[in-house]
Amino acid sequence: MRNKKSMIKDKRAFTGLEAAIVLTAFVVVAAVFSYVVLNAGFFTTQKSKEVVHTGVEQATSSAELAGDVIGHGWKYDKVNATTGDWDPTATAGYYYSYYAWGNTTDKNQLDGTNLTVVEFYLQLTAGEQPLALNKLTISYTDKEIHNGSLALCTNENASLGNLTMPSWNWTVVKGDSDNLLEEGELAKIIVALPDYGVTANKWFTIEVKPAKGATLTITKNAPKSIKKSQALY
């Protein structure tokens, strides 16, 4: 009888040990599961923050207009490559431009029919990071033409009108000489419109698209009377 009781006691003791092991296993599994759930929650929260931050960045323009948008009725004509003067009858040794660097009295000729060149100034939006001017995309649209990416012109005196058609150029007019538009700086953007520009009273749109941030859209009408330089409304 003693042997039987001893065997029963041993069996009960073993069963209790099994229960303890199973309980411990449940506790460990629950702890691991809780850790995984908490980590997933933290990861989701972090991703949500990133999505919100990215959305704000994409919805906010990095740059804004500073001052008026200026329209130019500049004639696109032949310039003598040697003298830098206007040479409309040349058959060789010339290039086309809106600017004659060698002319002392009339470096930009009037085109009284078309608004051909537009210039405006950009400054950094308050609180935004520096804007890479060399990574801008400039697009143009009017009733008849759409150009999604005008060529960047790096000609000497491009900011004064020595541009090919169509093209654009940037120049930092207030600030250091790097390609970043930073707080307190001012950049001049000049755009030679496609197809000799637009005639009087016609609308057009220029879009400034930074590498990061919302597009800056500029929609204007050519004035009733085209002049060399005038503010656009």
Side-chain angles (χ1 to χ4, degrees), residues 168-187:
W168 71 282
N169 174 266
W170 62 267
T171 307
V172 176
V173 295
K174 178 185 176 184
D176 53 37
S177 58
D178 61 22
N179 57 21
L180 293 176
L181 179 62
E182 299 168 306
E183 186 177 359
E185 295 185 342
L186 199 64

Side-chain angles (χ1 to χ4, degrees), residues 22-230:
V22 170
L23 179 60
T24 302
F26 271 118
V27 171
V28 171
V29 170
V32 171
F33 180 74
S34 299
Y35 176 77
V36 171
V37 170
L38 284 173
N39 271 348
F42 290 142
F43 178 77
T44 302
T45 301
Q46 183 63 30
K47 281 296 181 183
S48 298
K49 288 181 179 179
E50 290 177 2
V51 169
V52 171
H53 181 67
T54 301
V56 171
E57 281 188 340
Q58 293 300 323
T60 305
S61 180
S62 303
E64 60 187 5
L65 287 175
D68 292 330
V69 176
I70 307 299
H72 300 294
W74 290 344
K75 192 173 183 180
Y76 192 59
D77 209 345
K78 296 177 183 178
V79 176
N80 188 293
T82 303
T83 66
D85 205 351
W86 297 113
D87 195 358
T89 61
T91 57
Y94 68 90
Y95 60 92
Y96 276 95
S97 180
Y98 303 91
Y99 177 82
W101 54 270
N103 191 298
T104 58
T105 59
D106 197 17
K107 288 182 172 18
N108 303 107
Q109 296 186 108
L110 173 65
D111 182 331
T113 303
N114 295 332
L115 183 77
T116 56
V117 176
V118 173
E119 73 173 75
F120 50 90
Y121 294 82
L122 297 180
Q123 63 185 8
L124 203 63
T125 304
E128 290 297 313
Q129 296 297 313
L131 172 67
L133 294 166
N134 61 329
K135 294 184 179 180
L136 290 177
T137 299
I138 305 294
S139 69
Y140 173 85
T141 304
D142 63 28
K143 187 176 181 180
E144 299 174 344
I145 296 174
H146 173 71
N147 188 320
S149 181
L150 300 180
L152 176 63
C153 180
T154 58
N155 293 345
E156 185 177 0
N157 294 319
S159 65
L160 301 176
N162 187 25
L163 299 160
T164 53
M165 180 181 65
S167 65
W168 71 282
N169 174 266
W170 62 267
T171 307
V172 176
V173 295
K174 178 185 176 184
D176 53 37
S177 58
D178 61 22
N179 57 21
L180 293 176
L181 179 62
E182 299 168 306
E183 186 177 359
E185 295 185 342
L186 199 64
K188 175 182 177 180
I189 307 295
I190 186 166
V191 182
L193 308 185
D195 196 27
Y196 297 93
V198 291
T199 54
N201 298 318
K202 297 295 180 62
W203 67 268
F204 64 92
T205 296
I206 294 172
E207 292 185 323
V208 181
K209 303 175 183 179
K212 181 186 294 185
T215 297
L216 175 63
T217 301
I218 303 169
T219 298
K220 298 292 181 181
N221 288 315
K224 294 179 180 179
S225 177
I226 305 296
K227 301 177 181 178
K228 275 191 179 182
S229 300
Q230 59 200 125

